[in-house]
Amino acid sequence: MTLRRKTYATLSGGFFCYFALIGLFMPFASLYLDAKGFDALQIGEILAVVAATKIIGPGLWAHIADKSGRLSRIILLGCILTVASLTLVFVSEGFWPLLFTFSLFMLFFNGILPQLEVLTLTSIQGASQNYARIRLWGSLGFIVATLTSGEILSVTSPLYFPYLAMFWVVLLTLVSTLNRDPNIAVTSPSSEPQTSVMKRIRHPGFICFLISGLLMQISFGPFYNFFALYLRDAGFDTSYVGVFMGVAIVVELAMFYGAYLFFKAWSVNTIFIFCFLITSVRWLLTALYADNALILAIAMSMHAVSFALYHCACMAFFQRYFSHSQQNRAQAMYNGLFYGVGGAVGAIVTGWLWNQSGSGETSFLVASVAAMLGLIFVIFTPKVSLKSESTA
């Protein structure tokens, strides 16, 4: 399927701005909260609740999207509400006010991505190479925001974090005004027997897949929430956060561009196994060589597999395992359970381990074990066929 240039540019721009905010939030939110005077356990609790909003947000937006069928308007509404709620961060002081405002802000923000994913998949009609090349703009946005934010916050203060966040949210809102729903007939969810959905969810193999996904995201807890503090404690300057993240995102970009080659050579299930194995090794290296810049860079380069390739495999799995009319709910499940529950558990466990041990080494060792446990469960994931998918 050949995408119109305007559609390609708008979808790519949406991913760019969305993940630019993630590129700011993921490494620097903990530094901002640290600068506000919170300890590791409090930071872990705030970020755990923030991650938990992914359980509610995607499902809520998926329900609204299924009812309206207007994904572009739902995305724009989510952006506007995100801007409105982010303004509260500027006037919030203390643990509970910041917990509330961060949660409200991320509740609306987290609901945007699943709809953007579905809008993209619907627009390209399943061509994985087109999807990967649109999605790679998200990685570009991430690296741009991470590198520039690291420099800005290094020469100013982590307390400038909300101003940078507002910049990216406003830009995302402006881009989202250009989204258009594709002219494709969509089957109403009510015309499809609900028992078929429940049967798929209750399949033992699918439950094993969900458990593996939860363990994967739990393993990312130290990286997503405390990596900047981990580097600082290891003796690196704040600007190095952007450098190491840059390594991760450069290889991620390359993977998004060439991921289809893996799908030509391997089955989705084989790719899953490979991703969990590499992820376990990645966290082990991060735990054991925190003060070695070269080995840390090698570990960060594994992000190409543990995130980019794994994400593409999950998209392929959900798209084939669920029917077209179930895709909004499938994306809500993916973001809610994996990134929501898994992210919340990962954040709170990391904060607790960090508080108990006084360093992040134990957290990354536990992360390595979690990824290895996920490898055991993912072996039993149901097999899906990609033979009918276009790679052009």
Side-chain angles (χ1 to χ4, degrees):
M1 175 182 177
T2 302
L3 283 176
R4 292 172 51 194
R5 289 185 179 181
K6 183 178 179 181
T7 302
Y8 180 91
T10 302
L11 293 172
S12 300
F15 278 110
F16 183 95
C17 296
Y18 184 93
F19 282 96
L21 182 56
I22 297 296
L24 167 68
F25 192 92
M26 192 181 80
F28 299 116
S30 59
L31 285 180
Y32 170 71
L33 294 172
D34 181 70
K36 297 288 283 187
F38 300 114
D39 61 31
L41 184 58
Q42 290 175 313
I43 294 172
E45 289 171 345
I46 291 175
L47 296 179
V49 174
V50 166
T53 61
K54 296 179 182 178
I55 303 171
I56 303 172
L60 175 64
W61 290 116
H63 177 75
I64 297 173
D66 281 337
K67 291 291 185 181
S68 68
R70 301 300 299 273
L71 290 173
S72 60
R73 291 186 179 180
I74 298 301
I75 292 170
L76 182 58
L77 175 62
C79 291
I80 294 172
L81 292 174
T82 301
V83 171
S85 57
L86 180 58
T87 59
L88 298 176
V89 175
F90 292 92
V91 295
S92 298
E93 294 293 337
F95 178 80
W96 291 109
L98 269 174
L99 176 66
F100 173 76
T101 53
F102 262 59
S103 301
L104 186 64
F105 155 54
M106 295 304 288
L107 175 67
F108 295 126
F109 179 70
N110 287 327
I112 297 171
L113 182 60
Q115 313 317 315
L116 184 58
E117 295 277 15
V118 174
L119 180 63
T120 302
L121 292 169
T122 304
S123 299
I124 66 176
Q125 295 187 9
S128 63
Q129 190 168 348
N130 279 339
Y131 169 79
R133 290 180 178 178
I134 291 173
R135 178 58 180 78
L136 69 80
W137 283 93
S139 302
L140 279 172
F142 188 102
I143 190 173
V144 168
T146 302
L147 290 173
T148 57
S149 299
E151 292 297 330
I152 293 171
L153 297 179
S154 179
V155 299
T156 56
S157 164
L159 295 176
Y160 281 82
F161 167 85
Y163 296 94
L164 297 177
M166 182 61 78
F167 170 79
W168 289 114
V169 172
V170 170
L171 193 58
L172 174 62
T173 304
L174 294 175
V175 172
S176 297
T177 61
L178 303 176
N179 281 326
R180 296 293 181 270
D181 294 299
N183 296 319
I184 298 174
V186 179
T187 304
S188 172
S190 61
S191 66
E192 182 179 86
Q194 292 300 308
T195 53
S196 65
V197 180
M198 295 308 300
K199 184 177 180 180
R200 291 175 184 274
I201 294 175
R202 291 172 180 171
H203 189 284
F206 183 73
I207 293 174
C208 286
F209 170 70
L210 291 181
I211 294 173
S212 72
L214 287 172
L215 287 167
M216 174 65 91
Q217 293 311 312
I218 288 172
S219 82
F220 269 83
F223 178 67
Y224 280 159
N225 300 292
F226 289 91
F227 188 60
L229 292 176
Y230 187 62
L231 291 179
R232 186 195 66 183
D233 292 349
F236 293 99
D237 185 77
T238 304
S239 60
Y240 275 87
V241 177
V243 174
F244 284 115
M245 288 291 186
V247 171
I249 305 307
V250 166
V251 294
E252 178 185 310
L253 283 168
M255 179 58 75
F256 273 126
Y257 192 82
Y260 73 98
L261 296 174
F262 284 85
F263 288 94
K264 283 185 175 180
W266 294 344
S267 68
V268 173
N269 300 70
T270 300
I271 291 174
F272 278 140
I273 292 171
F274 178 62
C275 291
F276 277 90
L277 179 61
I278 293 299
T279 302
S280 182
V281 173
R282 175 188 181 182
W283 302 140
L284 182 62
L285 291 176
T286 305
L288 298 180
Y289 300 97
D291 57 348
N292 190 310
L294 177 59
I295 295 181
L296 272 182
I298 293 173
M300 289 304 100
S301 70
M302 295 178 181
H303 196 69
V305 174
S306 57
F307 175 74
L309 185 60
Y310 179 70
H311 177 73
C312 288
C314 285
M315 289 296 100
F317 176 82
F318 275 104
Q319 192 175 19
R320 293 296 172 176
Y321 189 75
F322 291 96
S323 68
H324 181 79
S325 63
Q326 298 167 357
Q327 289 303 307
N328 279 320
R329 284 164 287 173
Q331 287 298 318
M333 186 184 306
Y334 173 59
N335 284 275
L337 290 179
F338 285 21
Y339 293 96
V341 177
V345 173
I348 198 69
V349 168
T350 300
W352 181 81
L353 288 171
W354 198 298
N355 219 41
Q356 293 296 311
S357 64
S359 71
E361 180 180 340
T362 302
S363 300
F364 279 103
L365 287 173
V366 171
S368 179
V369 173
M372 190 57 66
L373 289 174
L375 171 62
I376 297 173
F377 282 97
V378 83
I379 292 173
F380 302 100
T381 295
K383 292 180 171 58
V384 294
S385 174
L386 300 177
K387 291 182 178 179
S388 62
E389 182 181 279
S390 169
T391 58

